[in-house]
Amino acid sequence: MEEIEIRYSDRNTSPDVINSILSIEKSVYEPKYCGTFESVKSRYDKFNEMFVLAYDNNKLAGYLCYFPISEKLHDDILDTDSLHDDDISPDDIVHLDIPEADANNSGESRKYHFYLISVAVSPEYHKKGIGKLLMDGLFEKLREFEKVGILTDDILASTVSKDGEKTVKKYGFKKKSNYPEATGYQVYQKNGLAMYSDVYVMIPVTGKLYEKYLDTDATVGKYIQLINENFNNEC
């Protein structure tokens, strides 16, 4: 495997990419969670940037799918116990408006709801860190949006596996649903983009250096708690 390259879909992305995405989807998801070319293409036509793509050379190894959603769909996802997946129509996807700058070169920013609908990696590339690269790629794209005034209010994510739950939890998503295991899925939410920054707690004890990523919203009390836990458990 060569170095994985992260790319983003745009208006020039070939329809063949959608076929490759569907092929990976069918290899990892149950049939009831798989979309059709027509439905996926219709959403792509509404929001061309909906895919984060991981390539090994020119072979698609995995993908992430997301899009900005309407207030109505946002509330439906949070308030109902039915899975929102391939039934999502282009009308549920909203257009991202770049604020028009005024004489002072400052436009009025707007917040959007985003929906992370799927992350899938081809079986031959499992356990190679590609899921993390895709999630990092999503947050990088959302930060680029913020630079031009397109802000993230929150991100919803539906999971259909324990691995999916583990992934979103690592990025600060909080569980919003409590559906029975029989439903096969759960809903998670993340407010804004604050996640993990390059802030470390370093404990120079017995010649060891401890480094921990900390949530940007962490309080001093949490810092102290983390220091104590590391001191008691590792020193």
Side-chain angles (χ1 to χ4, degrees), residues 129-225:
I130 293 177
K132 180 180 185 302
L133 292 177
L134 290 167
M135 290 292 290
D136 289 348
L138 168 63
F139 281 93
E140 180 62 30
K141 172 60 73 171
L142 295 180
R143 291 190 191 97
E144 289 181 10
F145 285 154
E146 295 222 326
K147 293 176 183 178
V148 294
I150 297 172
L151 309 182
T152 297
D153 187 342
D154 66 352
I155 311 168
L156 300 183
S158 58
T159 63
V160 296
S161 69
K162 293 299 182 182
D163 285 343
E165 291 190 53
K166 290 178 182 178
T167 296
V168 296
K169 285 179 180 178
K170 288 178 181 178
Y171 284 80
F173 285 75
K174 304 299 181 184
K175 191 174 182 178
K176 300 300 292 185
S177 63
N178 191 29
Y179 303 140
E181 289 290 330
T183 63
Y185 77 98
Q186 298 294 338
V187 173
Y188 284 77
Q189 181 182 38
K190 179 175 179 60
N191 294 315
L193 294 183
M195 44 182 288
Y196 298 101
S197 63
D198 292 330
V199 179
Y200 298 89
V201 169
M202 292 176 288
I203 312 173
V205 180
T206 64
K208 297 182 179 179
L209 180 66
Y210 296 92
E211 299 179 339
K212 294 287 185 181
Y213 276 114
L214 294 177
D215 192 297
T216 54
D217 295 325
T219 62
V220 172
K222 289 182 180 179
Y223 279 57
I224 295 174
Q225 180 183 4

Side-chain angles (χ1 to χ4, degrees), residues 34-187:
C34 296
T36 65
F37 180 89
E38 291 74 18
S39 61
V40 174
K41 179 66 161 55
S42 68
R43 291 190 290 269
Y44 162 76
D45 288 340
K46 183 67 176 287
F47 182 61
N48 300 150
E49 297 174 275
M50 67 185 280
F51 296 118
V52 182
L53 306 165
Y55 280 91
D56 178 14
N57 198 356
N58 284 315
K59 180 179 181 180
L60 186 65
Y63 76 91
L64 177 152
C65 181
Y66 77 105
F67 33 73
I69 58 175
S70 66
E71 196 76 36
K72 180 181 183 304
L73 178 58
H74 174 270
D75 293 344
D76 284 347
I77 293 172
L78 289 177
D79 298 337
T80 64
D81 60 357
S82 58
L83 177 65
H84 293 272
D85 195 88
D86 201 46
D87 61 317
I88 296 174
S89 77
D91 292 337
D92 294 316
I93 299 174
V94 301
H95 180 70
L96 297 181
D97 295 313
I98 298 178
E100 293 185 9
D102 57 23
N104 297 317
N105 197 35
S106 60
E108 183 177 352
S109 299
R110 177 184 168 187
K111 289 187 175 183
Y112 292 85
H113 303 296
F114 289 92
Y115 185 35
L116 170 56
I117 190 172
S118 63
V119 182
V121 177
S122 179
E124 65 183 289
Y125 291 97
H126 281 184
K127 307 299 182 182
K128 297 183 184 298
I130 293 177
K132 180 180 185 302
L133 292 177
L134 290 167
M135 290 292 290
D136 289 348
L138 168 63
F139 281 93
E140 180 62 30
K141 172 60 73 171
L142 295 180
R143 291 190 191 97
E144 289 181 10
F145 285 154
E146 295 222 326
K147 293 176 183 178
V148 294
I150 297 172
L151 309 182
T152 297
D153 187 342
D154 66 352
I155 311 168
L156 300 183
S158 58
T159 63
V160 296
S161 69
K162 293 299 182 182
D163 285 343
E165 291 190 53
K166 290 178 182 178
T167 296
V168 296
K169 285 179 180 178
K170 288 178 181 178
Y171 284 80
F173 285 75
K174 304 299 181 184
K175 191 174 182 178
K176 300 300 292 185
S177 63
N178 191 29
Y179 303 140
E181 289 290 330
T183 63
Y185 77 98
Q186 298 294 338
V187 173

